[in-house]
Amino acid sequence: MTKYLKRLVFFSSGGAFLDGYVISLVGVALTQITPQLGLSQAQSAEIGAASLVGILFGSLFGGMLTDALGRRTMFIVDLIAIAVCSLISMCAGDALQIMLCRFLIGVFIGADYPIATSLITEFTPQSKRAIAMGIVAASWYFGATVAAFVGYALYAVDDGWKWMLGSAIIPCIVLLIGRHDIPESPRWLMNKGRSAEALAILEKVYGSHYDAVPAEHVSSDKPIHVFTKGYRSRTVFLGILILCQVVPMYAVYTFGPEIMTAFGLNNGHESILGEAVVSVMFLIGGIPAMFWLNSLGRRKLLLLGLALMIVGLLALGLWPTAPLWYVFAGFGVYAFFSGGPGILQWLYPNELFPTDVRATAVGVAIAFSRIGVAVSIYGLPLFMESYGVGATMLVAAALVGIGFVWSLVCAPETKRLTLHEASSLQHKHANK
């Protein structure tokens, strides 16, 4: 991990930071937007779900473009687009305008995921791959945590929601500066027959001593390859796993203040601060998980994490009128042990597919999960209003439970495998 490579991982993780930031901040912004613009519960839900629908389309088509045109081509354009849409959202005057801006921001954030995670995976040494993907996951939680504190600071400001939505411009500018000289992936260049360019980049990133990029058999560079025999089962496994893992997490972040208020915190600053505390637990949980993925292994940590996430959600669902220390303990258990599964939603898709369709696989997995996320986020405030926060947490626990059973049957072990071994259909993954 050279100094240059560490910098590459840091700035490539910025898309995850932006996702966590803009998704979480809208929950706080809606506490001002809803009464100021006189929005109905359905309109608030539409604004909350708009960026998730955008991520669905952006990750799907962004992944295909990334495999076809290269990892770096859209790496700068998407940040500029997010900044422009954030600026426009500050001037929005009704629910439809805000929703459209949020949708477009989601499209470009979704496009950044397959670009950034493929680039990081293809540059990072095998022994550091889990840590590098851990930084991506931690960046999401860090972005969400920063959003909670920004929302807390701007909550009492007149038209603070406009500054909240427009504040995404600042990280976009920082990332544009940091990404300006990040090179193309050597693996992608090798697969396109551009060996001289690949070797020059390897020497720039690693110095004069580096391991040669192993040749890969390019069976197809068409997106449909992720649905062909062998890879189809991996695509379905990832789509269902990520869906079950992220739906409750996005619910907590998108409507965090409302959920905290339902558990007994006062509406306003207190509920926003409660969301920030839970967000910090998500962030802390990802740090040891980076290292446990190499020591315990991918499969064991996934199953352990999902099981303890269920415990936390069940505790909240079975006693929704509990004192605040109990509520925070339940959320703390759920959030802390989300670390391993949270990293694996990025690590698994990049390990289980070859270079020619890696970004497409990431995009398809994310897109599939975001269909469920968008539907659930739209329905969450309506469901919680009708059935209460306890029932909402029990449904979330059931969904994570489905993910646990699915992973028990399907989750592979890719610890200590090279990218070529992990993505090969000939290599038999351990499942114990």
Side-chain angles (χ1 to χ4, degrees), residues 65 91 142 178 211 232 248 251 261 309 313 380 412:
L65 287 173
C91 306
F142 182 58
D211 294 328
R232 179 172 57 245
T261 300
M309 288 163 64
L313 291 171
L380 183 134

Side-chain angles (χ1 to χ4, degrees), residues 263 307-323 325-334 389-390 393-394 397:
F263 273 113
L308 291 170
M309 288 163 64
I310 296 169
V311 170
L313 291 171
L314 279 176
L316 294 166
L318 294 172
W319 193 8
T321 58
W325 69 264
Y326 179 91
V327 172
F328 280 111
F331 272 118
V333 170
Y334 165 71
V389 72
M393 294 297 107
L394 291 177

Side-chain angles (χ1 to χ4, degrees), residues 178-376:
R179 286 183 175 186
H180 76 280
D181 65 341
I182 290 179
E184 183 56 85
S185 163
R187 286 180 178 271
W188 184 85
L189 290 170
M190 283 283 192
N191 272 25
K192 298 298 181 181
R194 295 158 62 178
S195 302
E197 294 175 64
L199 295 175
I201 291 172
L202 284 171
E203 187 164 353
K204 178 181 179 181
V205 175
Y206 301 104
S208 57
H209 301 287
Y210 56 84
D211 294 328
V213 176
E216 292 185 41
H217 172 63
V218 183
S219 53
S220 171
D221 60 357
K222 297 180 180 179
I224 196 66
H225 188 49
V226 300
F227 297 108
T228 56
K229 186 177 180 181
Y231 289 116
R232 179 172 57 245
S233 61
R234 298 183 184 187
T235 302
V236 173
F237 160 65
L238 290 169
I240 295 176
L241 168 63
I242 296 173
L243 171 68
C244 294
Q245 188 259 324
V246 302
V247 165
M249 182 189 74
Y250 271 100
V252 169
Y253 276 113
T254 306
F255 294 103
E258 288 88 342
I259 292 173
M260 291 298 164
T261 300
F263 273 113
L265 276 74
N266 292 326
N267 191 24
H269 275 107
E270 189 172 309
S271 62
I272 297 169
L273 189 60
E275 182 191 11
V277 171
V278 175
S279 186
V280 170
M281 292 303 298
F282 274 107
L283 179 59
I284 293 173
I287 296 172
M290 298 181 196
F291 304 94
W292 290 340
L293 283 165
N294 281 336
S295 57
L296 293 177
R298 278 59 158 159
R299 178 181 165 85
K300 287 182 181 178
L301 186 59
L302 174 64
L303 294 172
L304 178 63
L306 291 172
L308 291 170
M309 288 163 64
I310 296 169
V311 170
L313 291 171
L314 279 176
L316 294 166
L318 294 172
W319 193 8
T321 58
L324 289 181
W325 69 264
Y326 179 91
V327 172
F328 280 111
F331 272 118
V333 170
Y334 165 71
F336 181 85
F337 290 102
S338 294
I343 296 172
L344 283 167
Q345 70 167 299
W346 308 117
L347 183 58
Y348 261 153
N350 282 286
E351 287 187 327
L352 293 175
F353 292 86
T355 301
D356 52 324
V357 290
R358 179 168 291 121
T360 300
V362 174
V364 168
I366 293 172
F368 181 87
S369 69
R370 270 32 173 199
I371 296 173
V373 171
V375 172
S376 63

Side-chain angles (χ1 to χ4, degrees), residues 43-91:
Q43 287 175 313
S44 295
E46 288 166 2
I47 291 174
S51 59
L52 298 169
V53 177
I55 290 174
L56 187 162
F57 288 101
S59 58
L60 183 60
F61 294 106
M64 295 177 187
L65 287 173
T66 299
D67 282 328
L69 304 177
R71 300 344 188 187
R72 193 181 185 280
T73 304
M74 293 181 61
F75 213 38
I76 304 299
V77 175
D78 56 3
L79 289 176
I80 296 173
I82 293 168
V84 171
C85 291
S86 297
L87 183 62
I88 294 173
S89 66
M90 295 180 68
C91 306

